[in-house]
Amino acid sequence: MPSDRTSAGDPVRTLALLWRDPSATPRRGPARGLSVDAVVDAAVTLADGEGLAAVTMRRVAQALEVVPMTLYTYVPGKAELLDLMLDATYARMERADSTGEPWRKRLAAIARENRALFEAHPWAAAVSTLRPSLGPGSIAKYEHELAALDGLGLSDTEMDDCLTHLLSFVQANARAAIDANETRAADGLSDQQWWDRAGPLLARLLDPDAFPLAVRVGSAAGAARGSAHDPGHAFRFGLARVLDGLAALIEPARAVDTGERPPGPDPTPDSAPSPAP
């Protein structure tokens, strides 16, 4: 479970900082040589290079060559800083214009954009956003992503549900990919090297007659993908299945909205109108 979450700080102060409201800036005191943006950029750079655990007020201050207490005149603490960091990465995301494309292509583009975000900023995948930060970057991201579901005949709550389902899949896949990278970095072995060492012993210990499905399917999957888990394959396969699932809701809604016949089997003889005598 993620240990870091958005909106863990004071909501009034955080929102004022996110939207750069003048009320968040002290009107008295010494001249300010930094800016909130400079503090956020330093924290993001630190998190990208060393992970979120490395982001402390002391380390950020060192990166900016100021004493730690200086930062507190810009950001109250790490909770508020995390909201600012995530909102900044949202604001800088690549956003493709998929206007006019079929809905599956639009949602696939949203999924790829979020996957690219987590590849560029792995720490972001570990942050719980169940209580969103509501900054301008977050709101712009939400607006952009909802546009991919607009005009499909869905209710407002269904649009939000579909987007949440899609993004939850992408974040889970990103976490698995990060785990795989960290595992390889920790022991210095590729998946194939690990299997080359573990496989011969497993072959001697494992009775294929006792576990026929595990042996057959596991061998086939490993041979096809070169490892027990391939995050890239899991993303492509999972995204297709997520879109297939959403189609069960979206296609009938589109049919009703456009007046088209909803997808499905032809009427059965019992339900078909009787021929005229």
Side-chain angles (χ1 to χ4, degrees):
M1 298 294 291
S3 59
D4 295 286
R5 60 183 178 87
T6 53
S7 293
D10 174 61
V12 175
R13 182 69 187 273
T14 301
L15 281 171
L17 283 168
L18 284 166
W19 291 89
R20 304 301 191 268
D21 189 286
S23 66
T25 303
R27 298 182 180 181
R28 296 181 180 180
R32 293 158 61 85
L34 296 175
S35 66
V36 172
D37 290 339
V39 174
V40 172
D41 289 344
V44 169
T45 299
L46 188 59
D48 289 347
E50 301 182 39
L52 198 55
V55 180
T56 65
M57 300 299 274
R58 181 175 299 277
R59 289 290 308 279
V60 175
Q62 289 175 350
L64 292 168
E65 299 181 342
V66 297
V67 297
M69 289 304 298
T70 301
L71 295 190
Y72 292 99
T73 65
Y74 297 90
V75 181
K78 185 174 177 180
E80 293 83 1
L81 179 57
L82 178 58
D83 282 20
L84 290 162
M85 291 167 60
L86 198 59
D87 200 68
T89 64
Y90 288 163
R92 299 164 185 167
M93 284 178 67
E94 293 285 340
R95 297 191 176 107
D97 182 5
S98 58
T99 304
E101 295 285 355
W103 70 264
R104 288 182 72 106
K105 287 189 176 181
R106 298 203 301 268
L107 290 184
I110 296 300
R112 288 192 294 270
E113 289 166 3
N114 279 271
R115 188 167 186 255
L117 168 75
F118 294 135
E119 288 176 344
H121 308 286
W123 55 270
V127 177
S128 171
T129 57
L130 294 179
R131 186 174 289 178
S133 60
L134 304 178
S138 176
I139 298 299
K141 179 178 183 291
Y142 187 49
E143 179 79 12
H144 166 72
E145 292 167 349
L146 286 174
L149 291 156
D150 195 26
L152 298 180
L154 299 173
S155 69
D156 288 350
T157 55
E158 286 172 336
M159 289 171 63
D160 183 80
D161 286 340
C162 289
L163 181 59
T164 299
H165 181 58
L166 176 68
L167 297 186
S168 295
F169 157 73
V170 176
Q171 187 171 24
N173 176 266
R175 289 174 181 167
I178 293 165
D179 287 344
N181 290 335
E182 290 178 347
T183 297
R184 287 190 290 268
D187 59 22
L189 297 174
S190 67
D191 290 341
Q192 186 60 56
Q193 290 171 326
W194 185 88
W195 277 109
D196 288 344
R197 295 184 62 179
L201 177 59
L202 181 64
R204 292 200 304 271
L205 298 174
L206 187 61
D207 180 2
D209 293 330
F211 308 100
L213 289 176
V215 171
R216 190 187 81 218
V217 175
S219 297
R225 295 189 283 276
S227 67
H229 178 71
D230 178 354
H233 169 79
F235 176 78
R236 293 186 295 273
F237 178 87
L239 176 58
R241 302 294 78 76
V242 168
L243 296 179
D244 288 343
L246 293 180
L249 176 67
I250 292 174
E251 290 298 344
R254 287 183 64 242
V256 171
D257 191 55
T258 60
E260 299 174 357
R261 178 182 173 185
D266 292 333
T268 63
D270 291 339
S271 62
S274 302

